[in-house]
């Protein structure tokens, strides 16, 4: 029986994040699944990144959110916590604030991501 190979990462700095995610999801997802998803997240973000300073960390965060969403979709209906997605056009203020407030108020009983249909490069300094 062939042992599956661990996919290479596009940036060697992703190895630490891959290890963290693999440990967090051990017993649920194979290490190669975690690394593949992390590498894909990095490549997707790198393709459009204007600022690359925190790309490794942001890719790890995106991969963690994707793994969480995958686990949520695979869980039996009665065992899934409610999931609320806040979306605004830029994900640069309102949707992030709404997600943070619900996360705080729900005390971990609700999964709350935020998203933008056309993500902005920065957070809005003030509501327009």
């Amino acid at each position: 029986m062939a042992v599956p190979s661990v996919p290479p990462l596009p940036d060697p700095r992703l190895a630490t994040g891959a290890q963290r995610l693999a440990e967090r999801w051990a017993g649920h997802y194979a290490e190669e699944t975690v690394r593949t998803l992390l590498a894909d997240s990095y490549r997707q973000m790198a393709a459009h990144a204007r600022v690359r300073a925190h790309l490794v960390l942001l890719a790890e965060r995106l991969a963690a959110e994707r793994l969480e969403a995958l686990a949520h979709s695979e869980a039996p209906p009665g065992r899934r916590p409610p999931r609320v997605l806040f979306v605004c056009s830029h994900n640069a203020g309102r949707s992030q604030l709404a997600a943070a407030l619900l996360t705080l108020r729900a005390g971990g009983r609700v999964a709350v991501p935020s998203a933008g249909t056309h993500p902005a490069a920065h957070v809005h300094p003030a509501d327009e």
Side-chain angles (χ1 to χ4, degrees):
M1 179 165 155
V3 175
S5 65
V6 177
L9 296 168
D11 185 315
R13 296 173 298 164
L14 290 167
T16 304
Q19 183 179 2
R20 266 192 299 267
L21 290 171
E23 287 172 6
R24 178 176 171 198
W25 292 99
H28 199 78
Y29 295 114
E31 180 183 357
E32 65 186 290
T33 301
V34 171
R35 289 175 67 96
T36 298
L37 214 109
L38 179 58
D40 180 64
S41 296
Y42 180 87
R43 285 186 190 102
Q44 284 185 36
M45 295 181 83
H48 303 287
R50 292 185 203 143
V51 178
R52 302 177 73 86
H54 304 289
L55 192 54
V56 169
L57 182 59
L58 292 172
E60 181 182 346
R61 180 177 174 203
L62 176 59
E65 290 174 359
R66 292 174 71 188
L67 286 163
E68 192 70 43
L70 182 60
H72 186 269
S73 70
E74 293 175 346
R79 303 205 51 208
R80 297 178 192 167
R83 192 168 183 83
V84 177
L85 173 62
F86 287 98
V87 180
C88 69
S89 58
H90 298 291
N91 194 33
R94 291 180 208 109
S95 60
Q96 291 181 359
L97 184 58
L101 289 170
L102 181 55
T103 298
L104 180 67
R105 297 289 290 170
R109 296 182 307 272
V110 178
V112 190
S114 69
T117 54
H118 304 292
H122 60 281
V123 174
H124 292 299
D127 209 16
E128 299 173 339

